[in-house]
Amino acid sequence: MNTVRDEIMPLQSESDLITVRQAVRIWMVPEGFNILEQTKMVTAVSELARNAITYGGGGEARLQLLADAARRGIRVTIIDHGVGIEDITKAMVDGYSTGSGLGLGLGGSKRLVDEFNIWSEPGQGTRVEITRWKQ
Amino acid sequence: MEQFPVLAVGDFMLISLREDMSDTQVMNLQDELSKQVTLIRPKGVLIDISSLEIVGSFLGRMLSDIAKIVRILGAEVVIVGMQPTVAMTTVELGKTLGSVLTARNVNSGMGMLRLKTMSSTSLAAASGRS
Ligand SMILES: Nc1ncnc2c1ncn2[C@@H]1O[C@H](COP(=O)(O)OP(=O)(O)O)[C@@H](O)[C@H]1O
Ligand SMILES: [Mg+2]
């Protein structure tokens, strides 16, 4: 697996969120992802980035283009150094929210991508890595 | 309300959302729209989201809240013009839009509103007669 392109973007404010969303789409277009694939990935990124800002006090988004012999893909990792998640299994359940949200961000973004990995440590922060492959 | 173009069409109000609104702008929209509806007293409100490239859980909830508020203020709401890819994504994300009425475009949304507001008027008239 090669990383063809790698970039880290700040994620502190509402305007950062918009910039990251736009960057993900811009990266996906030349890779041949169709509009539905783009929309799903951008929506998932938007949910996770919003969580990092709302609950994690902000962080970074890492965008990567991946390639191996068989396929290419885009991976986005959303990182924050905030309060972390006590019970990830619970947080992943649709409808669970400690805020005023719908509780669909984590569960929903997992459904929208090919790979979803989450690490979180209370008091340390949260990292969510999502990947969409183009076969 | 220059951020959101509003158009009065007979008894209805048409409002078009811009792509990539910030959260603050979305909250302003909720505020402003409630004010406008109280002021103008339309029978129905069409919210055109055709320029939106994504509708996440935040915006989805705000839209369904707006619909509830406007309904309490006495008007019907229809969300119109959602892009097919946005619709497919929204379904997979979960029940973000709640029970909000949606229509393919402004025309069919207008038809929907006419039916809705007409039937409630004629129902009221019918029950008044009996
Ligand atoms: N980056 C994060 N840092 C801390 N807690 C988080 C983070 N992301 C999610 N959570 C927790 O998981 C819950 C569920 O998140 P989500 O599914 O996005 O729903 P919502 O944002 O509507 O609450 C949140 O309410 C919050 O308690
Ligand atoms: Mg969320």
Side-chain angles (χ1 to χ4, degrees), chain A residues 2-132:
Chain A
N2 292 316
T3 301
V4 181
R5 194 174 167 192
D6 199 341
E7 205 171 305
I8 293 176
M9 304 175 73
L11 202 52
Q12 298 291 338
S13 63
E14 282 181 31
S15 63
D16 290 344
L17 179 98
I18 293 172
T19 310
V20 168
R21 262 181 354 208
Q22 285 168 343
V24 173
R25 201 180 280 278
I26 289 168
W27 281 42
M28 289 180 85
V29 174
E31 293 299 311
F33 286 100
N34 65 35
I35 297 173
L36 181 58
E37 291 165 326
Q38 293 167 32
T39 304
K40 286 183 177 183
M41 185 70 177
V42 174
T43 304
V45 167
S46 180
E47 292 294 329
L48 301 172
R50 183 180 299 286
N51 282 351
I53 294 170
T54 310
Y55 304 111
E60 300 96 51
R62 182 180 183 189
L63 277 62
Q64 287 171 287
L65 280 183
L66 307 174
D68 63 20
R71 58 188 185 170
R72 288 171 75 91
I74 181 164
R75 173 169 295 162
V76 178
T77 312
I78 305 288
I79 306 145
D80 70 63
H81 312 283
V83 291
I85 303 173
E86 288 276 353
D87 186 340
I88 292 178
T89 315
K90 212 161 145 189
M92 290 295 303
V93 173
D94 279 1
Y96 178 83
S97 173
T98 58
S100 57
L102 292 171
L104 293 172
L106 290 177
S109 58
K110 185 177 181 185
R111 285 188 288 276
L112 291 171
V113 297
D114 295 322
E115 283 169 30
F116 179 101
N117 289 300
I118 179 165
W119 299 267
S120 192
E121 199 64 59
Q124 300 292 302
T126 303
R127 181 157 55 100
V128 189
E129 180 196 274
I130 55 175
T131 312
R132 182 103 207 174

Side-chain angles (χ1 to χ4, degrees), chain B:
Chain B
M1 199 155 155
E2 62 291 347
Q3 290 180 14
F4 313 101
V6 179
L7 204 72
V9 192
D11 287 334
F12 304 135
M13 221 168 94
L14 170 65
I15 177 160
S16 303
L17 302 199
R18 291 182 336 187
E19 61 162 322
D20 274 338
M21 283 184 301
S22 71
D23 297 0
T24 320
Q25 284 174 314
V26 176
M27 309 226 245
N28 284 345
L29 169 74
Q30 186 169 348
D31 259 32
E32 276 303 315
L33 193 57
S34 332
K35 278 186 204 144
Q36 295 283 329
V37 169
T38 316
L39 207 72
I40 301 171
R41 291 271 163 215
K43 283 186 179 166
V45 177
L46 296 148
I47 303 177
D48 182 4
I49 62 164
S50 56
S51 68
L52 299 190
E53 293 188 329
I54 68 164
V55 174
S57 64
F58 176 79
L59 189 58
R61 184 179 55 105
M62 291 308 280
L63 286 173
S64 77
D65 282 356
I66 286 170
K68 279 181 207 151
I69 294 167
V70 171
R71 209 170 293 137
I72 290 169
L73 294 173
E76 285 292 335
V77 179
V78 182
I79 307 274
V80 300
M82 186 189 278
Q83 289 176 24
T85 48
V86 173
M88 286 182 254
T89 303
T90 305
V91 168
E92 232 169 310
L93 187 60
K95 214 173 163 11
T96 50
L97 269 178
S99 51
V100 182
L101 289 177
T102 54
R104 217 175 336 135
N105 51 36
V106 174
N107 261 340
S108 50
M110 202 81 98
M112 209 181 235
L113 279 180
R114 269 199 202 99
L115 255 158
K116 274 254 162 199
T117 50
M118 228 161 59
S119 60
S120 59
T121 325
S122 50
L123 274 176
S127 63
R129 240 176 268 130
S130 62

